[in-house]
Amino acid sequence: MSETKPPTILLLDSGVGGLTVFREVKAALPGADYIYIADDAGFPYGDKPEDVLIARIVDVVGAAIAAHTPDLVVIACNTASTVALARLRGTFSVPFVGTVPAIKPACAQSKARRIAVLGTKATVSLEYTHALIREFSAGCAVDLVGSSHLAAYAEAELADTPVTDDAILAAIAPCFVDAGGRRTDTVVLACTHYPLLTSRYRKIAPWPADWLDPAPAIARRVVDLLRNRDMPETATTPPRMIFTSGRTPPPRLAAALHGFGF
Ligand code: DGL
């Protein structure tokens, strides 16, 4: 009996944030082979200039494609996707799935007609995001909130060295706007690191809001693109995680990564 080789899915983020995407994709397609590249040598992406980011991401993705010949690449990072997805698609022939701010679904679901987009400084300032707002906000008020710290707080949370509630509150507070009879009811998590802190946001937010994680939609897109591929029902090889710094994760982070299947 001939065995079909499962497709290889490569995921990239600047750190552990893309694991929030990986867990959804893996749950949807448990039989695929997975390589997760954490470009921690380039962390954080969110504070770097556009040209520096594009050059770095094209280099890192190019090296990963050459080394692992994936069937599909998931850019599990909003910053990298908004800044470099077009360039990646123009450079490499493998299909890409990106992670871009979920502005359309957020505006569609907001009853108050006011949402916030919480992302890195780069993501909220890029034209790509502004174009999404022009195209899809449909009269909904959109407050853009950029954070230089929240991705690092999420890294700390996963490494079991959590930061204080006050630090997290300072980062999310500008999302909560009550003006003109509209009070923010939906926050788009426009950085893949941020869903790692959702239970903490819920505890400390000034009022309840929906925290929108785009990962399930990304997983559906991956399933759709690979729908014609034969795949075993369970994994034939364990997922692999590669840190571009070459570091070995310290024990508490290693334990958390183990929880994700690594
Ligand atoms: N996870 C990345 C994102 O989705 C950002 C983290 C960073 O600044 O490197 O935007």
Side-chain angles (χ1 to χ4, degrees):
M1 199 176 67
S2 76
E3 296 267 320
T4 325
K5 189 188 165 317
T8 298
I9 301 176
L10 184 118
L11 297 100
L12 170 94
D13 181 41
S14 58
V16 297
L19 293 173
T20 61
V21 175
F22 166 76
R23 69 182 166 199
E24 293 291 334
V25 178
K26 177 97 168 76
L29 295 175
D33 286 346
Y34 290 91
I35 314 271
Y36 183 102
I37 310 280
D39 183 18
D40 61 331
F43 181 88
Y45 280 176
D47 287 349
K48 293 194 169 53
E50 207 170 324
D51 54 338
V52 172
L53 275 178
I54 293 177
R56 177 165 193 98
I57 293 161
V58 170
D59 265 10
V60 172
V61 170
I65 290 174
H68 306 289
T69 54
D71 297 276
L72 184 140
V73 178
V74 180
I75 303 299
C77 172
N78 285 262
T79 310
S81 300
T82 46
V83 81
L85 199 55
R87 181 70 69 88
L88 290 169
R89 287 190 170 128
T91 308
F92 305 105
S93 57
V94 62
F96 283 91
V97 175
T99 312
V100 297
I103 289 163
K104 188 179 179 183
C107 287
Q109 73 162 50
S110 171
K111 292 197 170 56
R113 310 293 297 140
R114 178 177 286 279
I115 70 156
V117 177
L118 180 61
T120 64
K121 294 259 187 219
T123 295
V124 300
S125 65
L126 283 162
E127 168 52 24
Y128 192 109
T129 303
H130 294 228
L132 286 176
I133 294 170
R134 284 196 302 275
E135 200 172 341
F136 297 118
S137 60
C140 188
V142 180
D143 299 299
L144 287 168
V145 179
S147 174
S148 288
H149 306 296
L150 213 42
Y153 297 166
E155 292 268 333
E157 186 84 4
L158 198 70
D160 201 19
T161 52
V163 302
T164 63
D165 282 352
D166 283 352
I168 294 177
L169 184 57
I172 66 168
C175 293
F176 289 82
V177 178
D178 186 352
R182 297 165 161 196
R183 196 165 88 148
T184 312
D185 63 4
T186 305
V187 181
V188 175
L189 297 173
C191 167
T192 53
H193 278 76
Y194 298 175
L196 293 171
L197 294 165
T198 300
S199 60
R200 305 222 28 213
Y201 309 143
R202 291 213 167 100
K203 249 184 22 212
I204 60 178
W207 58 77
D210 197 10
W211 301 88
L212 209 68
D213 176 1
I218 296 160
R220 287 195 294 276
R221 178 74 188 134
V222 173
V223 169
D224 193 40
L225 286 174
L226 294 175
R227 67 188 174 283
N228 294 326
R229 289 291 303 251
D230 285 336
M231 228 179 289
E233 281 182 11
T234 52
T236 48
T237 51
R240 274 189 294 158
M241 184 159 187
I242 297 163
F243 289 91
T244 55
S245 66
R247 76 170 168 151
T248 304
R252 285 191 285 179
L253 176 58
L257 298 178
H258 189 68
F260 281 89
F262 293 98

